Every structure is written in structure tokens, then in C-alpha cells.
Amino acid sequence: MTVHQTINRPVFPAETLASMATLYPAQAGLLHHNLPDHPLLSIEALARLGETLSASAVEYNPGNLPVGIRPEDVPSNGLSIGETIRTIDTNGSWAVLKNIETMPDYRALLMDLLGELESVVVPRTGAMLTPQGFIFISSPGSITPFHFDPEHNILLQLRGTKVMNVWPAGDERFARRIEHERYHTGGHRNLPWDEAFRGGEQQVPLGPGDAVLMPVMAPHFVVNGDAPSISLSITWRSEWSYREAEAHAANAALRRMGLDPAMPPRWPRHARAKSLGWRIARKLRLVGERL
């Protein structure tokens, strides 16, 4: 069923674009949005979406997890994705619906939102590649464990509150180069946690109407407030982000050869030789495609 809703004013006001221009792409920070209640983002609509998406595009589990947990240790909540979302108020769970852009109505919403950001993004990191959307539905008090993600990302808080705890991207005190290499050669996004990391984070509290800009591969975990939460994450890649991923993947190959390659440089610089070498190896089918 097609759902169309006209949004009568910009979702990202001028002051948000100005704030984003000072932060993007290297620094996390608080932004604001005017996204109104939308029929695609109601609990029932999201439950139906979860039941429509492929199994690989939904993830859900109990919300009372440790900040640091290995992906293989995450238990099931014993519910279906539809049940998880419809009873999120009381079931103590966390869920994410991935790649919502595969559904036409959600892709239209995603592209409208990303279109408002082009004036900030394109002059800095070039074309907005591989647009993707993710929706997070969380019970009160749930935790998203310590992890990082490869996309440029703005998370819009729609319902409830949460605190985003963000560590600097590219800082090996919090995510060593071998963790980047592991991820970019097919590993899970979750990261090893150490209580010594506390104090090095930037805390960004979010309520309805707030948003947070997240840099590529910035380690973070999320603590939900005392009410159910819905958040919409709009993401894109850049030529720079792909080149950094390729450099980490090339480093993994060099490490398997017994070398100890240096951490690739962060934006705006490129590890050009490693990126080019990885692209050649991939074209020759000497390595896999995951980045």
C-alpha cells in the first residue's frame, strides 16, 4: 500500500544546516529536525514493515544487554519481529529495521530527507552514495552495545529519549586498527569494550525533534530513556568513506602476510596506494567484495 504525506516545511531548518556545516564529516554533534508524525513511522506501520522485510534486514533481541557483548552471545527475545515492535512498551527489547530504502514509500521519504542535506554534504565529501535507512525501536532502558558503522549518518529521534555516547573516530585508544580491518573484511560491527573508555566519550542526549550527526566509524553505544523510543537513521557513503574502508581491507591482507601496517589517515586524506591496490585486487577477484 502506498502512503504519501506532504511535509510542508523543511525537516532540517537553516540553523541545523549551519550547525552541520561546522561538524561534517569529522565530528559528532547535536542537530534538530522538524519531521512531523508520519504514517510510515507509526508502531503498526513499522511492525508491518518488519514482517515484510527479509530476515537479513531485521535484527532484534533483549534490550538489557551489557555495553560490551560479543555478537554470538546476544540471546533471542523469543518473539517474532512483529510481536517485538507491537509490544515494545513492555517486552524489554531492541529492534532495528535495515535497508528500508528497498521499500518504495520508505525510499521516497529517505531521499527527500537526504536531498535537504546536499548543500552541506556535496561540497565537502562529494556525491551522496549508497543511500540507506534504518529504523530503531527500543524498550525503556534498553542498550545498543558498543560498535561502529561505515556510513555517514544522521539519527533523528522521533519518540522517547536516549543518550548517544560517542568516542572519536579513528582514535586507536577506543577502536584498534585490527578491529577496523576485521570489520571491513566481513566481521561484525560490535567492538571490544573496556571500562577504561569511560570519560573519553561525547554524550549527546536526544528527545523528539533532536538529531545527532555521527561520523564514519565513530565508536558508540546508546542508552534508551524511561519510555519506548523510535529513531530514524538516514545514511550515505562517500568516495572518501569507501577509500578508507578499502585501505583497512588492504591492511588486513598485509597483516595476513606478517606485516604491521599503519592506521590509514582520516578525512580528508586518503591512503591512496592501499585503496588503489585493493581495487585492483578486487577487480581481479583476488579478494571479496564486503566493505
Side-chain angles (χ1 to χ4, degrees), residues 231-252:
S231 306
L232 169 63
S233 186
I234 61 173
T235 79
W236 63 98
R237 299 292 295 268
S238 63
E239 178 69 11
W240 168 79
S241 79
Y242 277 121
R243 287 197 177 201
E244 186 190 59
E246 290 161 350
H248 282 297
N251 275 359

Side-chain angles (χ1 to χ4, degrees), residues 2-59:
T2 299
V3 177
H4 176 75
Q5 174 171 305
T6 301
I7 300 174
N8 295 320
R9 59 174 176 163
V11 170
F12 299 107
E15 56 267 28
T16 284
L17 297 181
S19 295
M20 183 176 169
T22 69
L23 299 168
Y24 181 78
Q27 186 176 341
L30 179 67
L31 304 173
H32 301 285
H33 70 86
N34 295 321
L35 184 62
D37 289 341
H38 196 289
L40 291 176
L41 302 172
S42 70
I43 285 291
E44 181 55 33
L46 296 178
R48 292 196 301 268
L49 175 62
E51 292 166 339
T52 303
L53 290 169
S54 67
S56 63
V58 300
E59 183 178 347

Side-chain angles (χ1 to χ4, degrees), residues 100-112:
I100 62 171
E101 73 282 352
T102 59
M103 310 302 289
D105 292 338
Y106 288 91
R107 182 175 182 83
L109 175 61
L110 172 67
M111 298 308 293
D112 284 347

Side-chain angles (χ1 to χ4, degrees), residues 61-69 73-75 94 141-145 190:
N61 49 249
N64 58 341
L65 298 177
V67 169
I69 187 170
D73 293 336
V74 176
W94 171 92
S142 61
I143 289 176
T144 306
N190 283 11

